[in-house]
Amino acid sequence: MRKLLFQSLFYRPLTEAAPTPDDAALNELATAVGRAARRRLGRSLSIREVDAGSCNGCELEIHALNNAYYDVERFGLRFVASPRHADVLMVTGPVTKNMREALERTYNATPDPKWVVAIGDCAKDGGCFAGSYAVVGGVSDVVPVDLHIPGCPPTPVAMLKGLLALLERVDKGAVSP
Ligand code: SF4
């Protein structure tokens, strides 16, 4: 016990260093997404995450958007518990046969205007799970997809860039709500 106490006094913690409070690039990006959402919707952007059968790697990165480092809620991006409150469905994973109906029902429960963002390589075409007996395919095989963000998994910054690109395309009328 004494040894442990001495170690905790003299060794650095094994955790990652705390981020600098002013990560300018991240702040600028998240602010741009929040501003684009307010311009388009007149309020914050509400996101419902749907795991259609992923390995949870993509979820870890999506959860990071809400952690103390990224903390996207301060920029007006909110994750909501119900599709009825959502503007964007963020869908991860290949769509499994067991989740197909749940994804369809979630899509139908989301009010217009709504956009579907497929997150990760699996969401595009099944990725490394393509061809499995348990998999239907990519997200676009089940519901219409407005944007795909590649990566295995994509980083939180890639997701923010994707959301910004989506909102800018909506603003220019390239994607209809
Ligand atoms: S894209 Fe990669 S991290 Fe995401 S669900 Fe597929 S295998 Fe997992």
Side-chain angles (χ1 to χ4, degrees):
M1 185 64 186
R2 189 183 303 169
K3 188 177 164 203
L4 190 65
L5 271 173
F6 275 119
Q7 277 181 348
S8 61
L9 282 175
F10 296 111
Y11 288 116
R12 289 164 57 83
L14 296 174
T15 51
E16 211 170 295
T20 48
D22 55 345
D23 188 334
L26 174 64
N27 283 358
E28 196 179 312
L29 180 58
T31 306
V33 178
R35 202 181 302 125
R38 273 189 290 279
R39 194 169 55 235
R40 179 63 198 158
L41 303 168
R43 55 174 168 73
S44 304
L45 187 72
S46 299
I47 303 165
R48 172 76 167 100
E49 201 269 334
V50 184
D51 177 352
S54 91
C55 74
N56 282 153
C58 286
E59 271 66 37
L60 288 174
E61 299 302 320
I62 291 174
H63 291 172
L65 286 170
N66 268 331
N67 71 16
Y69 182 82
Y70 292 99
D71 191 17
V72 291
E73 202 151 316
R74 70 196 149 125
F75 300 108
L77 303 178
R78 291 187 312 131
F79 281 86
V80 292
S82 166
R84 297 193 191 285
H85 303 153
D87 306 302
V88 170
L89 292 181
M90 260 189 174
V91 188
T92 62
V95 182
T96 58
K97 289 184 179 165
N98 282 350
M99 280 299 290
R100 177 187 195 136
E101 187 184 340
L103 177 58
E104 286 170 342
R105 288 172 69 173
T106 303
Y107 179 81
N108 291 333
T110 309
D112 290 324
K114 62 186 165 194
W115 301 282
V116 176
V117 179
I119 303 283
D121 292 348
C122 294
K124 184 173 172 54
D125 53 12
C128 54
F129 302 105
S132 161
Y133 69 92
V135 164
V136 177
V139 177
S140 61
D141 292 321
V142 180
V143 294
V145 169
D146 298 295
L147 178 77
H148 171 242
I149 300 176
C152 182
T155 62
V157 169
M159 291 182 216
L160 282 175
K161 283 182 181 166
L163 286 175
L164 181 58
L166 175 74
L167 288 166
E168 283 177 350
R169 280 167 59 191
V170 169
D171 236 6
K172 288 177 189 153
V175 183
S176 48

